[in-house]
């Protein structure tokens, strides 16, 4: 009698996908908006404070996000408050207006750092020495243990230089700096890359390594990246390469998250050492099968399932989207982790999300049955 192979663990599936090796089912995960969580709780699907990873049987835990705020001793100051918004000055010297009763990106009102002198005088000196307060030792250890206890993958997750720079000077001043004073921005990139490595070396030495690295870098908007490929290569790539090489030297694969249209930057990210591209926002113009034709033999993929289609709650449309996006990658022997192209809004019904995970992850089995 032919022996049936034992099912893979979540960790095995996740790491196999990152390494573009065969899996018995696709690994999967996603994140829920706060409004979505409240809706599912009110409907009785999810208990308050329930572990969503276990509830939906997702494939990995993340943890270890470093605190990159420049001045950790600064207490945020309220400048102005209305019924709907609050304007504050934070430890990065940034004046940001936040919504009080709903989530959303804050309005960038003003920044102390607009050019090189502000960076050199008020920010850089605070980033060149280790500060243990920046490291979430307990949260990292707890998430790592949860992953180990349930045979799930554990990723260190946090921001990289692009997402560390703009909170101190805003996108506009940062991008003007790339054009007018690139050496200033290069200095910020490398300072933050070294800052991250310095703190992670302490974290990993004391709490152990993760299974993979997950860097968040939102470098695009609709149909365009924030910078040209030449600017990426000149300014951003050296910092990314430093981080990615450091990760690889420890045997850790590198996942890069980026919202927006970043396809023109993918060649540079691949040269920097990216192993997996995550999110791939459809409405911004990203298309995984198109990118996979060029890079599917070098990187794996994570996401790109149009959340607008999932939110229609039509299973036939979801199946069509899954087949169109995932099958080309799998047929060329590529690696894939199931995820929407963004996150889960409240329009997505609970049963739809369950279907997306369960049916989507079994696309490998359906492919095998058709052979």
């Amino acid at each position: 009698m032919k022996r049936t192979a034992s099912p893979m663990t979540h960790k095995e599936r996740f790491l196999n996908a990152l390494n573009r090796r065969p899996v018995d089912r696709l690994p999967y995960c996603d994140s829920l908006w706060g409004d979505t969580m409240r809706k599912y709780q009110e409907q009785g699907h999810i208990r308050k404070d329930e572990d969503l990873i276990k509830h939906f049987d997702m494939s990995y835990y993340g943890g270890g996000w470093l605190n990159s705020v420049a001045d950790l001793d600064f207490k945020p100051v309220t400048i102005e408050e209305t019924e709907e918004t609050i304007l504050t000055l934070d430890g990065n010297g940034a004046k940001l207006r936040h919504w009080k009763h709903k989530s959303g990106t804050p309005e960038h009102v003003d920044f102390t750092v607009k050019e090189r002198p502000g960076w050199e005088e008020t920010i850089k000196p605070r980033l060149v020495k280790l500060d243990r307060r920046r490291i979430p030792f307990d949260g990292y250890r707890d998430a790592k243990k949860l992953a180990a206890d349930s045979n799930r993958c554990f990723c260190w997750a946090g921001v990289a230089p692009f997402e560390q720079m703009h909170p101190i000077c805003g996108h506009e001043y940062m991008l003007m700096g790339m054009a007018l004073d690139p050496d200033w921005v290069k200095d910020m990139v490398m300072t933050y890359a070294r800052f991250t490595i310095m703190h992670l070396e302490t974290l990993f030495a004391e709490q152990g390594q993760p299974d993979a690295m997950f860097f968040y870098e939102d470098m695009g908007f609709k149909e365009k990246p924030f910078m040209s490929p030449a600017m990426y290569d000149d300014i951003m790539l050296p910092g990314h390469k430093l981080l990615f090489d450091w990760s690889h030297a420890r045997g850790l694969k590198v996942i890069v998250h980026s919202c927006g249209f970043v396809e023109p930057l993918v060649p540079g990210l691949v040269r920097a050492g990216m192993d997996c591209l995550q999110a791939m926002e459809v409405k911004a113009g990203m298309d995984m099968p198109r990118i996979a034709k060029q890079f599917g033999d070098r990187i794996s993929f994570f996401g790109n399932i149009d959340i607008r289609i999932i939110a229609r709650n039509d299973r036939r449309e979801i199946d069509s989207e899954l087949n169109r996006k995932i099958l080309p990658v799998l047929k060329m022997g590529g690696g894939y982790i199931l995820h929407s192209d963004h996150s889960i809004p409240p329009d997505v019904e609970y049963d739809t999300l369950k279907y997306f995970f369960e049916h989507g992850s079994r696309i490998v089995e359906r492919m095998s049955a058709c052979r």
Side-chain angles (χ1 to χ4, degrees), residues 9-80:
T9 65
H10 285 293
K11 180 176 177 178
E12 288 170 337
R13 293 183 187 114
F14 197 94
L15 293 178
N16 271 25
L18 288 183
N19 285 282
R20 303 188 307 283
R21 295 174 183 155
V23 294
D24 57 351
R25 292 181 61 182
L26 293 180
Y28 65 87
C29 57
D30 221 308
S31 56
L32 278 62
W33 294 17
D35 290 344
T36 311
M37 271 290 298
R38 285 187 288 273
K39 174 181 174 179
Y40 292 174
Q41 288 170 354
E42 289 168 1
Q43 292 175 339
H45 298 301
I46 299 174
R47 299 188 308 275
K48 188 176 182 181
D49 300 324
E50 185 174 359
D51 184 334
L52 290 183
I53 305 297
K54 291 182 178 178
H55 180 91
F56 288 107
D57 201 25
M58 298 188 213
S59 301
Y60 91 100
Y61 282 94
W65 198 292
L66 301 175
N67 187 339
S68 299
V69 173
D71 187 351
L72 294 181
D73 296 312
F74 184 85
K75 305 297 182 186
V77 175
T78 298
I79 299 171
E80 176 186 287

Side-chain angles (χ1 to χ4, degrees), residues 8 25 57 80 82 85 89 92 94 102 117 132 149 154 198 237 243 343:
M8 288 182 172
R25 292 181 61 182
D57 201 25
E80 176 186 287
T82 69
T85 65
L89 176 67
N92 286 321
K102 59 182 178 180
R132 293 178 64 88
D149 289 348
F154 177 64
M198 172 174 57
L237 189 150
L243 288 166
S343 53

Side-chain angles (χ1 to χ4, degrees), residues 177-192:
M178 286 185 176
L180 302 176
D181 189 0
D183 286 342
W184 163 42
V185 184
K186 289 178 190 178
D187 184 47
M188 290 198 291
V189 169
M190 297 307 291
T191 298
Y192 276 115

Side-chain angles (χ1 to χ4, degrees), residues 210-246:
D211 300 309
M213 303 293 288
F214 207 142
F215 292 101
Y216 286 76
E217 290 283 67
D218 285 348
M219 295 185 292
F221 54 103
K222 189 173 183 180
E223 297 178 352
K224 288 182 174 60
F226 277 111
M227 71 205 82
S228 70
M231 276 185 166
Y232 173 83
D233 287 354
D234 183 43
I235 297 171
M236 294 299 308
L237 189 150
H240 282 162
K241 183 166 174 47
L242 181 64
L243 288 166
F244 301 169
D245 284 352
W246 181 87

Side-chain angles (χ1 to χ4, degrees), residues 76-305:
V77 175
T78 298
I79 299 171
E80 176 186 287
E81 187 170 2
T82 69
E83 290 185 4
E84 299 295 329
T85 65
I86 182 168
L87 176 64
T88 60
L89 176 67
D90 66 19
N92 286 321
K95 295 179 181 178
L96 305 176
R97 181 175 282 112
H98 294 265
W99 292 104
K100 292 170 66 175
H101 307 298
K102 59 182 178 180
S103 59
T105 303
E107 177 189 357
H108 292 185
V109 176
D110 197 13
F111 295 90
T112 301
V113 175
K114 297 180 173 71
E115 296 176 322
R116 186 198 296 253
W119 156 254
E120 293 178 340
E121 293 166 12
T122 66
I123 305 296
K124 184 176 179 178
R126 301 180 184 277
L127 304 176
V128 295
K129 293 182 180 180
L130 178 74
D131 189 330
R132 293 178 64 88
R133 294 176 297 171
R134 298 186 180 280
I135 306 173
F137 291 100
D138 293 343
Y140 178 89
R141 181 181 61 249
D142 293 347
K144 189 169 182 287
K145 185 176 185 304
L146 281 171
D149 289 348
S150 57
N151 287 317
R152 289 177 168 85
C153 197
F154 177 64
C155 299
W156 176 82
V159 287
F162 190 85
E163 287 294 315
Q164 290 168 309
M165 292 187 296
H166 73 71
I168 65 163
C169 57
H171 286 89
E172 290 184 15
Y173 292 116
M174 177 179 64
L175 296 174
M176 285 191 289
M178 286 185 176
L180 302 176
D181 189 0
D183 286 342
W184 163 42
V185 184
K186 289 178 190 178
D187 184 47
M188 290 198 291
V189 169
M190 297 307 291
T191 298
Y192 276 115
R194 290 189 287 265
F195 161 93
T196 297
I197 289 172
M198 172 174 57
H199 287 85
L200 290 185
E201 284 180 338
T202 297
L203 174 60
F204 294 177
E206 296 185 20
Q207 300 298 333
Q209 289 196 163
D211 300 309
M213 303 293 288
F214 207 142
F215 292 101
Y216 286 76
E217 290 283 67
D218 285 348
M219 295 185 292
F221 54 103
K222 189 173 183 180
E223 297 178 352
K224 288 182 174 60
F226 277 111
M227 71 205 82
S228 70
M231 276 185 166
Y232 173 83
D233 287 354
D234 183 43
I235 297 171
M236 294 299 308
L237 189 150
H240 282 162
K241 183 166 174 47
L242 181 64
L243 288 166
F244 301 169
D245 284 352
W246 181 87
S247 302
H248 291 153
R250 284 150 183 79
L252 304 172
K253 291 291 185 180
V254 170
I255 305 165
V256 175
H257 163 95
S258 186
C259 290
F261 186 71
V262 293
E263 186 172 339
L265 307 184
V266 170
L269 284 161
V270 172
R271 289 195 298 275
M274 175 181 70
D275 298 298
C276 179
L277 179 61
Q278 197 266 352
M280 296 176 286
E281 198 172 2
V282 178
K283 61 181 175 292
M286 298 292 283
D287 184 71
M288 180 170 63
R290 183 176 65 228
I291 301 170
K293 286 180 182 178
Q294 187 174 359
F295 297 103
D297 62 338
R298 281 171 279 179
I299 63 172
S300 55
F301 299 94
F302 190 160
N304 199 235
I305 307 302

